[in-house]
Amino acid sequence: MTQHDPVRRRFLLGGAALGAGALLAACTSNDSGDDNTNTQTQGGNNASPNANTAPGKKVTIGFSAPAADHGWIAAITSNAKAQAAEYSDVTFTTVEAGADAAAQRSALSTMISQKPDVIVLLPHDGKELNAFGLEAMKAGIPVVNLDRAFPDALAYRLQIKGDNYGMGVAAGNYIAEQMKAKGVSNPIIGEIAGIDNLELTQERSAGFKAALAAAGLTVANRRAAGFTVDTGQAEMSQLLQALPKMDALWNHDDDQGIGVLAAANQANRKEFLMVGGAGSKAAIEAIQADNSVLKCTVTYSPSMASSAISLARLIAQGKGMSDLVELQVPKEIILASETITKENASTYLPLGFS
Amino acid sequence: MTESTAPETGTPSGATGNRKPTPNGTTPEPVDTSATETSAAEPTAAATTADGASVETGEAGTAAATTPPRKRAARSPRTTTSRARSTANPSNETPAPDAAGEPSASAEQPGSVSIPQARHAAPDEVDSAAPADVEDAPGDTVDGDEVGSAATPVQGGGGVVDDGAERPVVLRLTDVVKTFPGVRALDGVQLEVRAGEVHCLLGQNGAGKSTLIKVLSGAHQPDSGVVEWLGEQVRFANPQAANKAGIATIYQELDLVDDLSIGENAFLGHEPKVAGFVKRGTINRRTREILTRLGHGEIAPNRMVRTLPAAGKQVVSMARALSHEARLIIMDEPSAVLAHDEVENLFRIIRELTAQGIAVIYISHRLEEIREIGDRVTVLKDGRTTAASLPARTTPTRDLVSRMTGRSIEYVFPTRVNAPTEPEELLRVEGLGRAGEFDDISLTVGKGEIVGIAGLVGSGRSELLETIFGARQPEQGRIYVKGKALRPGAVGAAVRAGLGMAPEERKAQALLLGEPIYRNMTLSTFSKIAKFGFTDTGKEREEAMKVADQLELRPRDVRRPVRTLSGGNQQKVVVGRWLLGDTDLLLLDEPTRGVDVGARAELYQVIHALAAQGVGVLLVSSEVPEVLGLSDRVLVMREGRMVRHARAEELDEETVLDLVMAGSLMEGAPA
Amino acid sequence: MTGLPAQTAPAVKEALGGGPEEKGGGGGSNGWWHSDAGEATRRNLGLIGVLAGLILIGIITQPELYGREGWWITNVWAILKLGATVGVVAVGMTFVIIGGGIDLSVGAIIALAGVWSTTVATQEMGTFFMILTALVVGVVVGLINGFLISYGRLVPFIATLAMLVAARGLAAQISNKQTQQTDNRTINAIAAEDFLGVPILVWILAVVVVLGWILLNRTTFGRRTVAIGGNVEAARLAGINVRLHTMMLYALAGLCCGIGAVMLTSIGTSAQAAMATNYELDAIAAVIIGGTLLSGGRGTIVGSLLGVVIFSTITNLFTLNALSTEVQNMVKGGIIVAAVLIQQFRFNSLSQFFKRNRITAAS
C-alpha cells in the first residue's frame, strides 16, 4: 500500500462501494426460486373440509410469538398467518414479541387493550408470561397457549404443545428397533442435543435415554450444539473424531441437522444411521430420497400453530371440535411425536417446515 | 474580613526557631482560633514596631479602625487590593534600571546556591538558605519605599525575618524525594506552611507541583524526607488518612458527584448516620453552617451539584474540606476554571478561611493572583525548592521567574556561524488565530534561519506550532510554505511540504516507547524507504544508523527500544526522524525539556548544524536564555499575542522576561 | 535502568532465577525478557507449550484412539478445520486490536455475508458471484464500521456493537429467518475436499495467516497499524493518515469475515442469520490469549493463531472424553484469565518487584 495518492484511492474505494451496493442489492432477492416457502402447511387441514370450516361469527385473533432466529419459530409464525388466511371470518392481528419475555409482555398488554376475541401466544418463557395469561383471561379474552406451557392452569383456555419427552422416546425406540433388526449387539450411539440450558433439550434427552435404557442401550457421547447449522457441524465434526465408528446418532433438531449431515459428509462417514428431530422439509425430503445417513426424523411440528389458530377460532365462535362429542374445544392438546421414515415421508412432506 | 496580614507582615521567611514561642511574648499558638481576639488588638501596636508579627490575629478590621493611619495603610492591600497593587506593586515589578540588575543578579546566586543546600542539607541548614533569599526582599521593599508607599518601610525588613515567628507552623517538609521510574519528580523539596497563611506554590509544568500535592494529600508516599504535620512526623498511607488528619485537597478537576446534592457531596464518605441510615437533616444543617462560614449561606444544601457553575462547585469542594475539619486546604489552580469576577469571590472565601486559622496552599500560574492573595511563595523547579517562603507581594517578578525558569544549569551555546542575513523565505504565517489560544500571529522563517519563540506555558506558543504543522485547524489566517499555501489542519500535507515537528510532550506525542529506535526514527519515512509497500528494515536501520551517528546517539544500537534511552537521546530520536526525511523546516517545541546538560549542548549543536545545512528552525522554549542563545530572530508571545519581534542580539534576558511575565502582572491590575 | 544497590542485587536476581554471574548489577536491562521481540517469542513458545500439554492430555486419556492407524492426522485436521473460520476472523481482529480498536461485529458480518451470498438470486449467478458477494459484503460492512469510527468519531466498541445488532437484523431480513441451503458443489467442496492431502479449509487458514503475517510484519500497512495502536498522536504527528488507515483496518477485518462467511457456508452447506454467533468473543479471546495488547500497539498473528488452535483443541479434547460442555466453557474461561494473568505478571509484577526492592534499598 502506498501513501502517494490518497485522493485517487478514496475515489476508487467509493466507486467500488457503489458498484458493490448495486450488485448486492440485486442479490438479496430470495423469490426468484421456485420453492414457495409459506404455503406448505395448510394442506392437511384443507384436505378434509368439515362443518367447522364454514364461515361463522367474525372473530379477531391476536397472535404473538418470539422473533424468529430459527426455522422452527419462523414456521410457527408463518403457519399461523397462513392458517388464519384460510378463514374468511378471521381477522388476524399480530404483535412483535421483541427480544425477551419482558418485551413480549409489554407488547401483549397493548393487545389486551385492543380486545381481540382470542389470543394465540407462543411465550418467550411460559413462567414469565404466566401473569399475562391470567390478566388476559380475567379480562375475558381466552388465551391459547402454544408449546411453552403456563404453570398456572387458570392462565389459559387451551394449551397445545408438542411432546419433548415423547420425541426422545420415539427416537430412542426407533434406534433400538433398527439396531435389533441389524443385529448390532453393542451399538455405539451418539447424540447431538440442542441448547443445553433449555428445558426442552433436557426433556428430549431424558426421553431418549429412557427409551434406550429400556432396550439395554446407552449413549456413548452426547454433545450440545446451539440449534444452528454451524454449531451442529462443529460439534458433529468433533464427535466423529471421538467415535471413529458409530452405529446410530440422534440429532435433536433438523435445522442444526444440516450442519450435522455436512460434517458427516465432509468426514466421509456413512456407517451409522441418523435420526433427526422436529421434521423440517429438507429432512423429510432427504429421508424420502434415502441417499444420506438420515433415515428417520421424529416430529415436533410447527403445524401446531395452524391447529392453534383453527381451535382459537372455534373457541371464539363458541363451537366444539366436530369429531368430538363435547360442545367446546378441550383444554389441553399434546401432539404425539410421530416417527417419519422413508415409508411415510410423502404423507408428512406437506407439514415439513423450511 | 478579618486579621488580614499586611503585605510586609504576611511575608515571613523561613526564619529558624519559629516553632518556639515568639520573643515578644504574644500569643504563641492561638492563631487558628479566635480565643485571643481581644488581646490581639493590643499587641499589634507593639508588633508593628517590634517585628510586625502579631497583626494577623484578632479582629483586624476593628483594630484597624482604631489604629493610626499608617497602620491602616499597611493593611489596606488586603481589603482594597487593586488600589494597593497600583501603589505597591508597580514599584516592585518595574524598578529603576540600575536597581534591576542587582536583585536579579542576587537572585541567581541564591537560586543556584540553594539547590545543593536543599538537597543535602539538614533541615536547619535548609532554613538558612532562606535568609539568603531574604536578602532580595529588603532591597525590593526599599525600592517600594522609594516610590512612596507608606506601608512598606521598616516592617519590610523586620517582618520578613521575624514575622512568622508566632504563627505556628502546621506543615513542614524537609528534603522530600519522590521518584517514579525514570523520573525524580521530587528531588529534595522544602516547604513550610503556617497556620492562617496563604502559601503559594510556583513552578512550571513538570516542576513537581502535582507530585508534591499528591504527597501532601496522601495519594503518593515520599521515598525519603520528612513530612511534619502539626509538629509530628507523619506518613499518610492514603488520601483518607490525610483527610482525617485535616489536610484537604481541592483538585483542578473537582472530584464531586454531579448527581448528589451539595450536602451529600460535602459529607461524601463520612455521612452522619444512624443505624446505616444517612441523617439527611443533619447533613443539610451542617452544610448550611459550613456554607455560611464560607459566606455562601444563600446556597441551598439540597441543591444538585450538577446545577452549579464551576465557581459554585469550588465552594462545595471547600465545604467538603471544612466538613473534614481541615486545617490545611490545598488548592490546585483553583482560578483556572473561573471567570474574572468569580476569582474575586474565591479570594474572599480564601480570606475567610485563613481568618479562621486555616492554612491554604495555593497553586497558580498567574503571578498577579499570587500577589493578591498570597502571603509567602515557595518556588519549585525540576522537583527542587529553588526558593522557600519568599514574601509573596514584594519579591520582584524577575526573581520569581528566574527561580522558576532560571538557570540551574549553564547554557553552552555553540557559536553561530554564517547566520543568513536575507534568507530565502521558507515559511510565512499570516494572521493565524484560534479562539482562546492565540490571535493574529504573523511570522516568517527563512532558509537556514533559526527563529525562537519565547513565552510561558499557556501563551499559545505550542498551539501555534501545532497549528502550523496541521495538527490543529486554524480558525483564521494562512500558512505558506515556499510561497505555496499549505492545506490547513492536515499533518500529512505539512509533512509532504517539508515540515517536521518535535512536539512538546515527547513520550505522549512523538514516540512509540516499546518500538526500536530505528522504527521511531523512520516513523514518517518508512513508507518512502519501503518498496512496493514492503518495508525494508535493513535499509531503515542503515539510514537510522547514519542519523544516530550524526546526532551522537547513545546507545548506538538502533534496535533497542526507545524507552531505554535517556530524555536527551529520546529527543535526538525525534529530531532524527525529520533528518531522515527531506525536511526543510523544523518546528521544535521545548526541545530541551527534561534533557540533561550534556545532551542539551549536543542538541544545540545539532540545531545549529541543521540551520547550517539550510534547514529553517522555528523553536519554542520557556527558557529565555535558550531562545536568545540559539535564535537569529526572537518572537515574544504573551497570552496568545505576539508582543515583540526582534533580532536576538537586540534583546537581553531581562527585557524578554519582562515582556513575557510583566504583562500577566499588568493584566487584571486595572480591574 | 539504573544500577541496583549492591546489597540487594543478588537477592533480586535470585528471586528471578538469574545467575549471580550476571554482570552489570542492573537487574538485567539487557535481559531477554526485556526485549520486545523476545517477549513475543517467549509468549508464543509458552502457548505452544500449553498446546502440547493439551495434546498430551488427549493422548493419555484416549490412548486407544491415538493408537489407531492414521487417526491422529485426521484429528489434527479436525482440530484445525474446527478453528479455521475463527482463525481467519482472528487474523483480521488482530489487526484491528493492534491498531487500537475492537470489532464486535465480526460474527454478524459473517452471518450477513453468508446469507447474502446464498440467496436464491446470488446462487443462480454462480460460484464466483457467491464468493465475490460474500467478500464485498464483508469489506463494505467493514468500511462502514471504519467510517463511523474514523470520521464519525464513534468509539469502536459502540460502532461495532451497533453493527452487530444491525447486520444480524439485515441478515434475518434477507433470509426471512430461514436456513438457506446451498447445493453449489464448488462451495460445498471447500469444507469437504483436500488439496495435496491437506483440507482446503486448512489451506485457506494457512494462506490467510501467512498473508496476515507478511502484511503485519513486512509492509508499511502493518507498520502504520503498530504505530497507530502504539501511540496514535505520535503517528498522526509523523504524518500518517490515521483516519484513513483506521478505516482500512476495519475493512480488512470485514474482508476476513467475508472469507470466513464462504468457509462457514461451505462447512454447513448453508447460511442462516444465526450463524457465527459469538464468533467475536472467540476471536477476541484468541487474540488476547495470543498476547496482543487489548490497548493496541503490540501483538502477533502467530499468537492469535495459537489462541484459536488452543481453543479448538480444548473442544476436541472434551469431546474425545465425552465430557460436558459446561466444564469445557469453564476451562476456556480459565485459560483466558490465566493467559492474561501471565502477561500482567511479566510486565507489571516483575517491574514492581524491582521497584520495591530498589526503593527499600534507597531509603
Side-chain angles (χ1 to χ4, degrees):
Chain A
M1 241 184 229
T2 65
Q3 270 198 324
H4 302 308
D5 197 348
V7 177
R8 192 178 72 95
R9 187 170 47 184
R10 230 171 278 160
F11 173 73
L12 286 177
L13 278 174
L18 276 177
L23 168 72
L24 293 177
C27 316
T28 54
S29 163
N30 259 329
D31 297 332
S32 61
D34 50 3
D35 57 338
N36 284 326
T37 51
N38 287 341
T39 54
Q40 77 278 12
T41 54
Q42 61 274 42
N45 289 42
N46 281 351
S48 53
N50 57 38
N52 277 343
T53 58
K57 185 183 120 192
K58 294 243 180 246
V59 295
T60 304
I61 300 177
F63 178 81
S64 173
D69 51 358
H70 179 252
W72 189 87
I73 299 256
I76 286 280
T77 306
S78 58
N79 284 357
K81 231 179 246 173
Q83 187 68 19
E86 289 296 308
Y87 301 110
S88 57
D89 52 2
V90 166
T91 311
F92 185 75
T93 65
T94 178
V95 289
E96 276 295 327
D100 56 19
Q104 192 175 24
R105 253 200 99 161
S106 66
L108 282 170
S109 58
T110 53
M111 184 179 272
I112 288 190
S113 65
Q114 292 164 3
K115 281 262 172 202
D117 296 299
V118 59
I119 290 176
V120 177
L121 168 64
L122 181 80
H124 263 287
D125 184 303
K127 285 177 194 126
E128 286 184 62
L129 282 152
N130 185 56
F132 166 78
L134 288 170
E135 188 187 334
M137 291 289 283
K138 206 183 250 177
I141 306 170
V143 174
V144 175
N145 175 242
L146 253 179
D147 192 41
R148 297 180 189 168
F150 289 145
D152 194 335
L154 293 176
Y156 57 86
R157 164 68 184 80
L158 164 66
Q159 193 165 67
I160 175 165
K161 58 180 187 180
D163 183 2
N164 283 308
Y165 188 86
M167 222 178 138
V169 171
N173 285 343
Y174 179 81
I175 287 174
E177 184 187 301
Q178 289 295 312
M179 292 299 107
K180 202 174 168 190
K182 286 184 182 170
V184 185
S185 60
N186 208 355
I188 297 163
I189 298 166
E191 181 184 356
I192 305 274
I195 297 171
D196 236 353
N197 298 334
L198 297 181
E199 209 177 322
L200 68 97
T201 300
Q202 293 155 15
E203 284 177 12
R204 287 176 191 184
S205 284
F208 187 54
K209 198 173 167 190
L212 288 181
L217 307 177
T218 53
V219 176
N221 203 333
R222 174 185 183 277
R223 311 310 306 162
F227 283 134
T228 60
V229 176
D230 56 331
T231 55
Q233 193 277 344
E235 294 300 336
M236 181 63 175
S237 69
Q238 302 308 302
L239 182 72
L240 290 171
Q241 279 307 117
L243 303 175
K245 187 186 169 295
M246 185 160 59
D247 295 296
L249 172 80
W250 183 40
N251 161 56
H252 285 205
D253 180 78
D254 282 339
D255 237 24
Q256 77 184 17
I258 296 169
V260 173
L261 279 173
N265 286 337
Q266 286 153 13
N268 233 349
R269 294 277 295 269
K270 296 184 172 63
E271 82 280 4
F272 60 94
L273 79 85
M274 174 173 154
V275 178
S280 77
K281 194 177 167 205
I284 297 171
E285 279 169 352
I287 291 163
Q288 197 171 25
D290 195 19
N291 57 3
S292 72
V293 291
L294 187 63
K295 301 296 178 198
C296 164
T297 189
V298 289
T299 62
Y300 194 91
S301 177
S303 62
M304 68 174 75
S306 309
S307 305
I309 294 293
S310 297
L311 294 173
R313 170 176 167 268
L314 293 182
I315 290 168
Q317 291 174 343
K319 295 179 189 166
M321 294 163 78
S322 55
D323 290 339
L324 300 185
V325 182
E326 282 75 21
L327 294 177
Q328 293 291 326
V329 174
K331 179 143 174 131
E332 205 141 320
I333 295 173
I334 297 174
L335 304 175
S337 180
E338 292 145 80
T339 307
I340 304 174
T341 57
K342 190 184 171 189
E343 284 71 35
N344 60 10
S346 55
T347 327
Y348 284 95
L349 196 54
L351 288 176
F353 63 94
S354 63
Chain B
M1 197 57 39
T2 59
E3 51 75 0
S4 51
T5 13
E8 65 281 11
T9 57
T11 54
S13 77
T16 53
N18 42 22
R19 271 163 293 172
K20 299 181 181 92
T22 55
N24 63 7
T26 52
T27 61
E29 48 175 290
V31 182
D32 55 333
T33 70
S34 51
T36 55
E37 279 171 10
T38 47
S39 64
E42 228 174 49
T44 39
T48 43
T49 51
D51 53 24
S54 62
V55 184
E56 76 282 14
T57 50
E59 299 284 40
T62 52
T66 55
T67 42
R70 195 169 69 91
K71 190 165 183 310
R72 189 190 178 87
R75 203 166 273 147
S76 62
R78 280 297 202 141
T79 46
T80 57
T81 42
S82 60
R83 191 164 58 82
R85 245 188 296 119
S86 62
T87 56
N89 278 342
S91 69
N92 293 331
E93 327 155 355
T94 53
D98 55 330
E102 203 182 71
S104 83
S106 63
E108 286 164 28
Q109 243 178 354
S112 52
V113 169
S114 67
I115 291 159
Q117 277 181 334
R119 288 183 78 186
H120 305 295
D124 283 7
E125 289 172 308
V126 172
D127 282 347
S128 72
D133 299 330
V134 172
E135 285 171 12
D136 303 335
D140 289 318
T141 45
V142 169
D143 288 344
D145 202 21
E146 280 171 2
V147 176
S149 159
T152 31
V154 190
Q155 299 108 312
V160 166
V161 178
D162 293 330
D163 168 46
E166 45 62 73
R167 288 182 168 200
V169 171
V170 290
L171 178 75
R172 185 195 304 277
L173 266 63
T174 313
D175 288 330
V176 167
V177 172
K178 174 75 191 173
T179 54
F180 297 105
V183 194
R184 266 175 106 80
L186 298 182
D187 194 9
V189 166
Q190 330 292 328
L191 178 68
E192 180 201 89
V193 181
R194 290 162 190 257
E197 78 162 332
V198 178
H199 196 110
C200 298
L201 262 186
L202 204 53
Q204 295 200 325
N205 281 351
K209 287 176 307 201
S210 320
T211 313
L212 181 56
I213 295 172
K214 285 182 178 155
V215 166
L216 291 177
S217 64
H220 288 328
Q221 285 70 46
D223 298 343
S224 66
V226 178
V227 178
E228 281 173 82
W229 171 241
L230 301 175
E232 280 174 42
Q233 188 170 339
V234 289
R235 191 177 174 87
F236 299 125
N238 51 45
Q240 289 73 35
N243 257 340
K244 220 170 169 185
I247 298 180
T249 308
I250 298 173
Y251 289 101
Q252 218 172 327
E253 58 291 357
L254 301 166
D255 47 352
L256 299 176
V257 183
D258 271 350
D259 290 313
L260 290 181
S261 74
I262 293 173
E264 286 162 334
N265 265 289
F267 285 89
L268 194 63
H270 63 115
E271 299 87 352
K273 278 179 274 216
V274 173
F277 290 96
V278 175
K279 291 160 78 177
R280 228 166 252 278
T282 313
I283 285 185
N284 286 346
R285 183 172 48 76
R286 287 183 54 191
T287 306
R288 183 167 288 122
E289 283 166 17
I290 292 170
L291 289 172
T292 311
R293 251 174 97 190
L294 291 170
H296 279 284
E298 81 283 359
I299 304 178
N302 55 5
R303 193 166 155 191
M304 285 293 138
V305 161
R306 182 183 292 289
T307 64
L308 295 174
K313 288 183 182 174
Q314 217 159 40
V315 172
V316 178
S317 289
M318 286 185 226
R320 181 190 283 176
L322 291 182
S323 79
H324 282 283
E325 305 294 339
R327 302 185 64 183
L328 169 66
I329 301 181
I330 303 166
M331 300 183 188
D332 188 4
E333 298 215 35
S335 61
V337 293
L338 301 180
H340 193 76
D341 52 333
E342 294 172 333
V343 175
E344 283 303 317
N345 187 46
L346 169 70
F347 287 176
R348 196 180 52 73
I349 295 174
I350 291 177
R351 286 182 195 119
E352 301 269 350
L353 293 172
T354 51
Q356 293 161 28
I358 293 168
V360 171
I361 294 181
Y362 188 92
I363 291 148
S364 175
H365 275 119
R366 301 182 185 168
L367 269 178
E368 79 266 28
E369 290 179 359
I370 291 172
R371 297 288 191 205
E372 183 169 346
I373 192 73
D375 294 312
R376 298 191 297 168
V377 181
T378 291
V379 183
L380 292 185
K381 173 167 165 56
D382 299 337
R384 290 170 208 164
T385 301
T386 50
S389 305
L390 296 178
R393 277 178 206 81
T394 52
T395 307
T397 302
R398 197 171 302 104
D399 280 11
L400 293 176
V401 172
S402 68
R403 285 178 162 121
M404 275 165 69
T405 64
R407 54 189 59 164
S408 52
I409 50 135
E410 282 298 305
Y411 292 90
V412 183
F413 297 107
T415 326
R416 180 87 162 101
V417 284
N418 53 30
T421 43
E422 290 284 320
E424 185 188 324
E425 178 186 289
L426 265 181
L427 172 77
R428 180 155 49 90
V429 172
E430 288 178 359
L432 209 60
R434 270 172 66 83
E437 291 177 356
F438 54 88
D439 191 28
D440 192 28
I441 301 288
S442 299
L443 58 87
T444 61
V445 179
K447 203 160 179 280
E449 195 182 24
I450 305 176
V451 177
I453 299 179
L456 291 181
V457 170
S459 63
R461 46 186 205 167
S462 301
E463 292 81 0
L464 171 65
L465 239 56
E466 288 186 10
T467 308
I468 293 173
F469 193 57
R472 291 170 191 242
Q473 184 80 42
E475 288 164 6
Q476 286 131 31
R478 289 175 171 280
I479 303 161
Y480 299 90
V481 177
K482 291 178 227 163
K484 277 195 267 182
L486 184 67
R487 196 169 124 222
V491 174
V495 171
R496 277 191 295 276
L499 267 59
M501 182 165 90
E504 188 177 11
E505 302 288 338
R506 246 188 332 267
K507 288 182 184 171
Q509 294 183 289
L511 292 172
L512 301 168
L513 291 171
E515 293 285 298
I517 293 168
Y518 77 92
R519 291 198 179 191
N520 274 281
M521 278 203 182
T522 58
L523 191 60
S524 56
T525 43
F526 65 83
S527 295
K528 283 185 208 160
I529 297 170
K531 295 186 191 76
F532 310 110
F534 286 90
T535 50
D536 185 344
T537 48
K539 185 141 181 262
E540 282 180 43
R541 274 201 290 270
E542 204 176 289
E543 302 257 316
M545 209 58 188
K546 277 188 218 157
V547 174
D549 281 343
Q550 192 186 334
L551 297 175
E552 296 184 40
L553 190 76
R554 282 174 300 270
R556 293 254 156 116
D557 182 1
V558 293
R559 283 170 302 185
R560 288 179 64 119
V562 143
R563 73 172 131 79
T564 61
L565 299 188
S566 68
N569 283 300
Q570 289 184 350
Q571 187 68 41
K572 286 182 192 172
V573 171
V574 179
V575 172
R577 172 182 304 163
W578 301 109
L579 299 191
L580 271 177
D582 300 323
T583 305
D584 302 316
L585 178 73
L586 208 48
L587 310 173
L588 303 176
D589 195 352
E590 296 275 13
T592 59
R593 174 184 287 180
V595 170
D596 64 72
V597 186
R600 256 171 207 251
E602 287 174 15
L603 277 169
Y604 295 154
Q605 260 160 6
V606 167
I607 292 169
H608 273 210
L610 282 171
Q613 290 162 28
V615 175
V617 176
L618 183 59
L619 167 102
V620 152
S621 174
S622 26
E623 304 200 12
V624 174
E626 188 171 277
V627 176
L628 291 175
L630 275 177
S631 315
D632 304 326
R633 281 189 293 128
V634 173
L635 311 167
V636 182
M637 277 185 82
R638 187 180 67 218
E639 308 199 337
R641 289 179 178 275
M642 192 83 75
V643 294
R644 186 76 190 269
H645 176 194
R647 295 205 66 79
E649 54 268 25
E650 295 163 16
L651 297 167
D652 58 22
E653 194 180 342
E654 280 73 36
T655 319
V656 176
L657 269 177
D658 272 353
L659 285 168
V660 159
M661 302 292 305
S664 60
L665 282 174
M666 298 304 216
E667 261 353 85
Chain C
M1 253 194 190
T2 53
L4 279 170
Q7 68 271 22
T8 56
V12 174
K13 275 184 221 142
E14 232 174 80
L16 278 173
E21 74 284 353
E22 194 175 56
K23 58 178 184 290
S29 65
N30 291 316
W32 55 270
W33 59 82
H34 275 279
S35 136
D36 284 21
E39 176 62 35
T41 312
R42 186 200 59 75
R43 194 183 291 112
N44 286 345
L45 284 173
L47 291 176
I48 289 172
V50 170
L51 195 54
L54 288 171
I55 291 169
L56 196 67
I57 295 173
I59 294 172
I60 292 168
T61 54
Q62 294 293 333
E64 191 267 335
L65 281 177
Y66 275 90
R68 282 171 188 246
E69 175 82 32
W71 182 86
W72 69 270
I73 186 72
T74 64
N75 200 44
V76 168
W77 296 143
I79 290 171
L80 290 177
K81 279 155 80 176
L82 181 65
T85 315
V86 177
V88 168
V89 174
V91 169
M93 185 70 83
T94 307
F95 274 87
V96 170
I97 292 182
I98 291 179
I102 192 119
D103 190 346
L104 301 179
S105 64
V106 288
I109 297 177
I110 290 179
L112 181 59
V115 163
W116 208 321
S117 65
T118 52
T119 56
V120 175
T122 318
Q123 288 205 41
E124 279 172 353
M125 290 165 88
T127 315
F128 173 76
F129 269 94
M130 288 176 71
I131 295 175
L132 184 71
T133 303
L135 300 186
V136 170
V137 167
V139 170
V140 168
V141 176
L143 279 173
I144 294 172
N145 272 339
F147 184 83
L148 291 175
I149 291 160
S150 280
Y151 297 92
R153 306 252 173 120
L154 284 184
V155 179
F157 190 94
I158 293 171
T160 57
L161 185 66
M163 184 57 79
L164 183 161
V165 178
R168 284 227 186 263
L170 183 56
Q173 174 84 25
I174 291 173
S175 66
N176 200 20
K177 299 161 187 171
Q178 282 164 354
T179 303
Q180 295 178 172
Q181 281 195 263
T182 171
D183 44 12
N184 184 304
R185 283 173 184 281
T186 318
I187 296 283
N188 290 350
I190 293 172
E193 303 294 323
D194 291 359
F195 177 68
L196 300 178
V198 174
I200 294 174
L201 284 177
V202 178
W203 276 113
I204 296 176
L205 175 65
V207 168
V208 169
V209 164
V210 168
L211 288 180
W213 189 90
I214 292 172
L215 190 63
L216 181 64
N217 296 295
R218 290 286 180 267
T219 70
T220 57
F221 184 90
R223 183 71 67 79
R224 277 195 284 273
T225 306
V226 173
I228 288 172
N231 187 339
V232 65
E233 186 68 2
R236 192 172 75 100
L237 292 180
I240 293 172
N241 190 336
V242 172
R243 288 185 177 185
L244 179 64
H245 189 82
T246 302
M247 194 161 89
M248 300 312 287
L249 284 177
Y250 288 93
L252 178 67
L255 176 66
C256 288
C257 292
I259 298 169
V262 174
M263 295 165 78
L264 207 55
T265 301
S266 167
I267 286 170
T269 66
S270 66
Q272 60 181 145
M275 80 200 286
T277 306
N278 289 346
Y279 267 40
E280 55 280 354
L281 300 184
D282 288 350
I284 292 169
V287 171
I288 292 171
I289 290 177
T292 297
L293 278 186
L294 204 49
S295 54
R298 197 189 66 207
T300 62
I301 298 283
V302 175
S304 299
L305 175 69
L306 287 169
V308 169
V309 174
I310 285 175
F311 264 19
S312 31
T313 307
I314 293 172
T315 305
N316 178 264
L317 185 62
F318 273 75
T319 309
L320 295 188
N321 287 290
L323 294 171
S324 74
T325 325
E326 297 92 301
V327 184
Q328 175 183 318
N329 289 337
M330 281 155 54
V331 169
K332 280 185 182 177
I335 291 231
I336 297 175
V337 172
V340 176
L341 274 183
I342 286 169
Q343 287 179 44
Q344 282 179 348
F345 171 75
R346 284 288 161 184
F347 280 85
N348 294 335
S349 311
L350 208 61
S351 63
Q352 257 163 28
F353 178 78
F354 266 119
K355 244 184 284 167
R356 266 201 302 279
N357 277 272
R358 199 179 307 143
I359 288 163
T360 44
S363 55

